[in-house]
């Protein structure tokens, strides 16, 4: 793991990254439990992606920058400013859901207050949309950088190629984050991608492409921070490919034991980024046993509160479904 100081992070920032990862993980686990118990209809787990998401998202400026996340991006959405309550309101389809007032499928994150733009269901659609937002920002003279994330499966879509080509041509301020977990539902990356990596394609567009360990939040942060600074200064886009593991099935409606071997699933558990980062922080003296337990308690309390409030919140009236 990259030393957090070499990544330009203070001790407090390194611990904050762990706290975001922990919140993402525990909230994700709660959502899966709620789905299993029939309380909410859908769970799309981000377990295994947290280091890449939080490492990258913390390199952007909340409130100023724009976000085009994808469904598996809980960690990025939390760092962008969504609260556990916002997430729960969306999961329970409540009227106060900031993304759509309970109309959009959960996990298609959106929040006008936070410049988070909701995507629709086809994979990759957010890529040209992110590029368009960046072009609009440049024309208006806003010093915005756009976060745009997707999986390696989405990188097989035409939208990916059109979006990257356009962004490169006009040197637009977009940082593309490909979270490569090796699977597009049950289709392995070997049946998606010739040439070894998504990042290698950047050369064809004349932009920087970096492929790195997405289990190391500090390495991801350092690379994305450089890319964000360059994009903000007018230097154009970058493509960062973070190699991650999808610890769970594609969604709650998928059974990945039908297409992943027991060996792979065991390996994925061993590579879990959360204990890796905790171990690093303990080693450098930033996390002690008592502190770790206190973090867990604070995160659990925030999630309990959010769930309770969302359960009690009113549903939208039926007519709301017919409004534009
Ligand atoms: C255009 C399109 N084709 C297929 C689907 C069905 N689909 C939803 S998610 C997904 C897999 C995408 O995989 P990837 O981009 O690698 O992201 P991951 O889910 O692995 O994080 C597919 C095929 C879709 N939503 N849109």
């Amino acid at each position: 793991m990259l030393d957090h100081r070499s990544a330009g992070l203070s001790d407090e920032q390194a611990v904050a990254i762990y706290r975001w990862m922990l919140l993402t993980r525990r909230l994700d686990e709660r959502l899966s439990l709620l789905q299993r118990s029939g309380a909410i209809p859908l769970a799309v787990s981000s377990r295994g992606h947290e280091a890449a998401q939080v490492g990258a998202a913390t390199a952007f400026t909340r409130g100023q920058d724009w976000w085009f996340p994808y469904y598996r991006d809980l960690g990025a959405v939390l760092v962008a400013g969504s609260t556990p309550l916002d997430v729960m309101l969306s999961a329970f389809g409540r009227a106060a859901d900031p993304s759509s007032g309970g109309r959009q499928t959960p996990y298609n994150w959106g929040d006008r207050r936070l410049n988070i733009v909701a995507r629709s269901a086809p994979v990759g659609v957010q890529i040209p949309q992110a590029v368009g937002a960046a072009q609009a920002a440049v024309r208006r003279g806003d010093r915005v950088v756009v976060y745009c994330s997707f999986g390696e499966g989405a990188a097989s879509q035409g939208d990916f190629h059109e979006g990257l080509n356009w962004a490169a041509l006009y040197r637009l301020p977009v940082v593309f984050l490909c979270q490569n977990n090796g699977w597009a539902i049950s289709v392995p990356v070997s049946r998606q991608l010739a040439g070894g990596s998504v990042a290698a394609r950047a050369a064809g567009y004349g932009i920087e492409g970096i492929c790195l360990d997405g289990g190391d939040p500090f390495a991801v942060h350092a690379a994305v921070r450089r890319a964000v600074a360059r994009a903000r200064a007018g230097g154009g886009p970058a493509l960062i490919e973070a190699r991650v593991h999808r610890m769970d099935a594609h969604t709650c409606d998928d059974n990945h034991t039908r297409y992943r071997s027991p060996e792979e699933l065991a390996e994925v558990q061993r590579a879990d980024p959360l204990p890796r980062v905790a171990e690093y922080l303990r080693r450098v003296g930033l996390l002690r046993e008592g502190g770790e337990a206190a973090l867990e308690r604070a995160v659990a309390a925030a999630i309990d509160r959010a769930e309770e409030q969302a359960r009690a919140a009113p549903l939208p009236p039926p007519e709301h479904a017919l409004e534009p």
Side-chain angles (χ1 to χ4, degrees):
M1 189 154 302
L2 183 66
D3 183 296
H4 67 281
R5 286 162 296 238
S6 318
L9 291 162
S10 67
D11 291 353
E12 291 71 31
Q13 287 171 321
V15 174
I17 283 182
Y18 177 69
R19 202 182 309 120
W20 285 121
M21 288 177 60
L22 188 67
L23 176 64
T24 308
R25 172 65 59 93
R26 300 293 176 245
L27 183 54
D28 186 279
E29 288 169 345
R30 180 69 60 87
L31 290 164
S32 290
L33 271 178
L34 288 169
Q35 192 281 332
R36 282 289 169 227
S37 65
I40 62 171
L42 179 67
V44 182
S45 175
S46 54
R47 290 198 323 133
H49 285 233
E50 298 94 337
Q53 297 174 355
V54 171
T58 46
F60 288 77
T61 306
R62 193 197 261 207
Q64 175 182 357
D65 290 332
W66 281 69
W67 307 82
F68 286 75
Y70 85 122
Y71 46 83
R72 207 179 297 290
D73 232 346
L74 179 60
V77 169
L78 291 172
V79 173
S82 295
T83 63
L85 177 59
D86 293 333
V87 171
M88 285 285 180
L89 288 167
S90 169
F92 278 94
R94 298 310 200 223
D97 156 32
S99 66
S100 69
R103 297 194 298 184
Q104 172 68 295
T105 312
Y107 294 88
N108 287 314
W109 323 103
D111 194 326
R112 282 172 197 265
R113 301 165 299 185
L114 300 170
N115 301 341
I116 303 175
V117 182
R119 55 181 289 289
S120 50
V123 294
V125 282
Q126 75 278 22
I127 300 172
Q129 292 168 357
V131 173
Q135 188 149 34
V138 168
R139 286 192 183 171
R140 282 164 35 165
D142 297 342
R143 281 173 55 80
V144 159
V145 181
V146 178
Y147 170 96
C148 177
S149 73
F150 44 87
E152 82 292 343
S156 301
Q157 292 286 110
D159 280 349
F160 168 87
H161 300 286
E162 293 178 36
L164 267 84
N165 186 51
W166 193 265
L169 204 52
Y170 291 94
R171 299 173 73 78
L172 298 174
V174 189
V175 176
F176 298 100
L177 177 70
C178 177
Q179 298 177 32
N180 182 350
N181 62 24
W183 292 97
I185 310 185
S186 56
V187 179
V189 65
S190 57
R191 297 185 59 189
Q192 290 269 354
L193 182 70
S197 85
V198 175
R201 294 177 182 165
Y205 304 114
I207 65 172
E208 184 183 46
I210 298 175
C211 183
L212 41 67
D213 173 8
D216 179 346
F218 307 130
V220 174
H221 181 87
V224 173
R225 203 158 69 172
R226 272 195 307 274
V228 167
R230 197 183 45 228
R232 210 179 300 282
L239 172 60
I240 316 276
E241 174 183 356
R243 294 278 170 103
V244 295
H245 294 285
R246 194 189 79 197
M247 293 175 68
D248 292 304
H250 175 68
T251 68
C252 58
D253 297 326
D254 174 39
N255 174 5
H256 62 169
T257 62
R258 294 183 61 179
Y259 55 87
R260 298 175 92 179
S261 67
E263 293 73 32
E264 182 190 340
L265 291 173
E267 173 52 33
V268 162
Q269 297 304 320
R270 275 197 296 277
D272 185 346
L274 194 69
R276 250 182 95 186
V277 177
E279 192 194 319
Y280 168 87
L281 292 177
R282 278 195 293 269
R283 186 154 38 82
V284 297
L286 293 179
L287 200 60
R288 295 192 182 82
E289 219 168 88
E292 223 173 318
L295 275 184
E296 286 279 7
R297 275 198 305 276
V299 161
I303 295 170
D304 286 346
R305 218 169 28 248
E307 182 190 328
E308 216 172 283
Q309 285 176 274
R311 280 183 184 273
L315 286 163
E319 317 79 80
H320 184 51
L322 303 174
E323 287 165 17

